[in-house]
Amino acid sequence: TPNPSSPNKTPKLKMEKPAVIIDSGAKQIKCGFGREENPKYCFPSLVAKPLYDTKDYFEEPDIFFGQEGLDRRDVMDITFSKNRNEDWNFFAMKQIWRHIYHDKLKVEPEEQPILISESPLNSKRNREETMKFFFEDLKAPAFFMCPQSVLSLYSSGKTTGLVLDSGENNTFVEVVYEGTRHQATTSATRSPRTASAAARSPRTSCS
């Protein structure tokens, strides 16, 4: 979807610069650029704020992301970006998205299109809030949100198949036919490990 506020810039930007790609999971968030085989960065999908004000004693940021927050979890208030019902905490999610652009990928959001993955349980409200943030706050020139099952097939050079996606909170089985996800065939079940358990883990990793 092109940004209505900059329709003339979108085609040129799409051809000159690859899209920013963000895969937002309940435990991990992956980000990188289109045309590249692997993500550039992968880190725990959380934000952490200090429980105590230490600015007078230490020069530390007001907020930590990912593993830096987990490493300080004993003195941090940790907020995950998603819960088990795939409800998004947009305070945490927006902070993470800004962190990806400014600190990880180091690109200007208004200069490159954005591709966001979504799970089968993603709500209409989440889609609308996400699109609003990227268009109105970050001024992205173009935005597209695509089901994770469809992107998984695309990555293997296929458009039709049966996809099993086992994440931190939920496991899904979906039928995709010629690039279209069939919602009537989607099956979901709870994964046994919760996001809160991840906070107690000493380290997290991407696969």
Side-chain angles (χ1 to χ4, degrees):
T1 304
N3 191 333
S5 64
S6 58
N8 296 328
K9 297 181 180 180
T10 301
K12 183 179 179 180
L13 289 171
K14 280 186 177 180
M15 295 179 63
E16 289 185 353
K17 295 185 178 181
V20 171
I21 300 177
I22 300 177
D23 179 23
S24 302
K27 179 183 178 183
Q28 299 285 345
I29 190 162
K30 302 175 184 178
C31 60
F33 298 104
R35 307 174 190 168
E36 296 186 357
E37 187 172 346
N38 298 308
K40 279 193 172 294
Y41 298 98
C42 176
F43 56 94
S45 186
L46 61 88
V47 297
K49 300 188 71 173
L51 293 173
Y52 311 102
D53 187 2
T54 59
K55 288 184 178 180
D56 294 337
Y57 306 97
F58 306 100
E59 292 185 1
E60 290 191 341
D62 295 330
I63 189 169
F64 294 86
F65 298 91
Q67 193 61 49
E68 288 187 345
L70 286 182
D71 291 342
R72 299 169 173 82
R73 60 190 177 277
D74 292 339
V75 293
M76 291 286 164
D77 178 18
I78 293 179
T79 303
F80 288 88
S81 61
K82 293 183 181 181
N83 63 19
R84 286 175 67 81
N85 295 320
E86 294 295 316
D87 293 328
W88 293 12
N89 183 313
F90 274 98
F91 167 78
M93 194 66 85
K94 291 176 182 180
Q95 295 279 353
I96 292 172
W97 286 333
R98 291 185 186 276
H99 172 65
I100 287 174
Y101 275 104
H102 298 149
D103 302 319
K104 292 295 188 181
L105 301 180
K106 300 184 185 301
V107 296
E108 296 298 328
E110 65 269 17
E111 294 182 355
Q112 293 176 238
I114 175 70
L115 169 63
I116 297 279
S117 69
E118 65 170 340
S119 74
L121 296 182
N122 196 26
S123 66
K124 180 181 179 181
R125 172 188 171 274
N126 288 344
R127 294 189 190 99
E128 292 174 347
E129 187 71 20
T130 301
M131 181 178 291
K132 179 180 177 182
F133 173 75
F134 277 96
F135 276 161
E136 297 184 4
D137 291 24
L138 297 186
K139 309 299 182 184
F143 171 91
F144 185 64
M145 182 172 277
C146 188
Q148 293 166 337
S149 55
V150 175
L151 292 174
S152 295
L153 282 179
Y154 285 170
S155 69
S156 61
K158 303 180 185 298
T159 59
T160 299
L162 180 68
V163 180
L164 172 65
D165 182 1
S166 186
E168 177 72 10
N169 291 337
N170 298 286
T171 296
F172 303 100
V173 178
E174 293 190 279
V175 172
V176 179
Y177 180 72
E178 294 185 353
T180 301
R181 175 170 60 93
H182 287 250
Q183 294 183 335
T185 64
T186 300
S187 177
T189 185
R190 298 291 189 192
S191 297
R193 192 163 182 252
T194 64
S196 59
R200 297 191 291 270
S201 300
R203 300 290 296 181
T204 58
S205 61
C206 285
S207 56

